[in-house]
Amino acid sequence: MNGGFYLKTRNVFYLFLLLNIMNYLDRQITSAVLPLLKESFHASDQALGVLGSAFMITYALIALPFGMWSDRWQAHKVAAIGAVIWSAATMLSALAWSIESLYVFRALIGIGEAAFVATGSTILSKLYVQSRRARILALFNLGMPIGSSIGVLAGGALGVHFGWQFAFCIVGLPGLILAFFTWRLRLDRNPDHQKHAPNMDTSSAQININDVKQLFGNKPFILLSVGYAMISYGFGALSFFGPTLLNREMGYSVDAAGLVLGAIIAVSGFIGVPIGGYIADYWLKRNGRARIHVVIISMTISCALLYLGLQLVSIPLIAASIFFLFWHVGVISSLLYDVTEYRIWNTATALLLFIMHIIGDVPSPTVTGYLSEQTNLLFSLKMLVIPMLLAVVFFSWMTKYVSSKVSLTDQNITHSS
């Protein structure tokens, strides 16, 4: 008899939402204590930026092997293994004795989170029909603003009052508990799942390197990946240096900066993420390119507000920019599944993550930190508008390959060359 237990579809969703919250909480804890790390290790902005890059390098490189593995094996167990790795590495970060040792621990966190991110959204996508997918993934991706805001808020408060070491140690524990339940979960032959996604195939796909080659020949997939990378470049550096911006340029203390930015992320994301998903799903009934249009419109508005906010050093304008920036979360995941084959969704997700991170938020913290050292932090953050506008160009280009006609299937793509 196989061990484990069944959960109703909505409870599987809640479990993975909690995991996603911890995923972003553990990721964001570092940015909250950057001023404390700078003081403790006497580090430059560029050296601090490498912390973000160290995390993202392993995150990008490991995602594809984990994605391919989870297409062959039980994806939820791959996610559980990832949660154990990232949670343990977060706790071990408390033992860092130098900025270089912290690079190593952050790199290990990237390995763990890559395993979860390569599988989590795909598992949920297979549990829900296409017409509900953007909304479900938008709600799942509320883990980003919720986890990030808690990480920034709790990290700043715990770091100031108990030390940055305690902050790392305490936030890693919940992920280990959630990993246990995820490992024990059973997704095969569950009648409740069939009600939500009657065509769900629970068998393991047999994939090979040719599937990866096929994805590189998929033009809308490549445009989606590069466009997403440009969003990630901007958002990665902005979220990483956000608390430092409030602390250094606006006069907030470390814990107050965490409180303010945490509140901005929480409110903007909690409202913006589902709005983007709901608008995309509603509009999709009338236009097959609706999801692409939602990303184009929201990113254009976000870029304008971000530049003005940094130019005027205005928190309300920066907050408004972050609100529109969050609209893409969930929508882009749905777009990925619209333009790729069902049987290799995990691999496609992992390859998207690799491309998105390796040219997006892998270099952006380090480059932004370097520009900050050469000029100032405000100028380096203003430069993030450039890649974000490039994202608008790539998504606009993508409309050439996606039909405007409404499709009742999971494939809206037209194979025009």
Side-chain angles (χ1 to χ4, degrees), residues 150-410:
I150 295 173
V152 171
L153 195 158
L158 291 172
V160 167
H161 293 95
F162 302 103
W164 58 265
Q165 295 92 339
F166 182 82
F168 279 119
C169 188
I170 200 67
V171 301
L173 183 60
L176 296 175
I177 299 171
L178 293 172
F180 170 79
F181 289 107
T182 305
W183 179 269
R184 299 282 294 169
L185 186 64
R186 293 192 65 182
L187 295 177
D188 58 314
R189 296 182 296 279
N190 190 332
D192 187 68
H193 297 170
Q194 298 301 314
K195 290 189 300 181
H196 290 269
N199 296 319
M200 180 181 179
D201 178 12
T202 57
S203 62
S204 297
Q206 296 301 312
I207 64 168
N208 54 51
I209 197 64
N210 289 327
D211 295 308
V212 178
K213 293 179 180 178
Q214 176 187 328
L215 288 170
F216 275 109
N218 183 329
K219 292 180 181 179
F221 171 79
I222 294 299
L223 291 170
L224 172 68
S225 301
V226 178
Y228 195 13
M230 295 299 95
I231 295 176
S232 180
Y233 188 103
F235 186 64
L238 182 62
S239 61
F240 191 77
F241 282 105
T244 302
L245 172 69
L246 269 64
N247 172 248
R248 187 181 303 174
E249 304 292 342
M250 300 182 184
Y252 287 89
S253 63
V254 173
D255 51 346
L259 177 63
V260 171
L261 189 63
I264 290 173
I265 292 174
V267 174
S268 299
F270 202 78
I271 299 173
V273 171
I275 283 179
Y278 276 97
I279 290 177
D281 275 348
Y282 182 79
W283 196 356
L284 190 66
K285 298 174 184 177
R286 295 167 174 79
N287 190 319
R289 296 170 178 162
R291 288 169 176 162
I292 303 176
H293 292 325
V294 167
V295 176
I296 292 170
I297 293 169
S298 61
M299 286 304 302
T300 301
I301 297 173
S302 178
C303 285
L305 290 171
L306 178 60
Y307 186 84
L308 286 174
L310 293 171
Q311 182 69 28
L312 301 174
V313 196
S314 167
I315 289 180
L317 287 175
I318 294 174
S321 172
I322 293 173
F323 166 74
F324 283 102
L325 182 57
F326 270 121
W327 281 32
H328 81 277
V329 179
V331 178
I332 285 183
S333 296
S334 299
L335 272 172
L336 170 67
Y337 304 131
D338 287 344
V339 301
T340 55
E341 292 184 31
Y342 178 95
R343 69 184 181 86
I344 55 170
W345 274 359
N346 286 319
T347 301
T349 300
L351 184 57
L352 170 71
L353 290 174
F354 173 78
I355 296 171
M356 182 263 285
H357 290 303
I358 208 70
I359 61 176
D361 47 15
V362 166
S364 69
T366 301
V367 173
T368 302
Y370 173 79
L371 288 176
S372 177
E373 290 290 326
Q374 302 303 312
T375 56
N376 57 70
L377 187 58
L378 273 173
F379 176 82
S380 64
L381 292 177
K382 287 178 187 176
M383 293 299 99
L384 299 178
V385 171
I386 297 174
M388 292 166 69
L389 285 175
L390 285 175
V392 174
V393 173
F394 285 112
F395 279 99
S396 298
W397 191 354
M398 187 179 171
T399 59
K400 176 182 177 182
Y401 300 100
V402 176
S403 174
S404 61
K405 295 180 181 180
V406 177
S407 173
L408 298 179
T409 70
D410 276 357

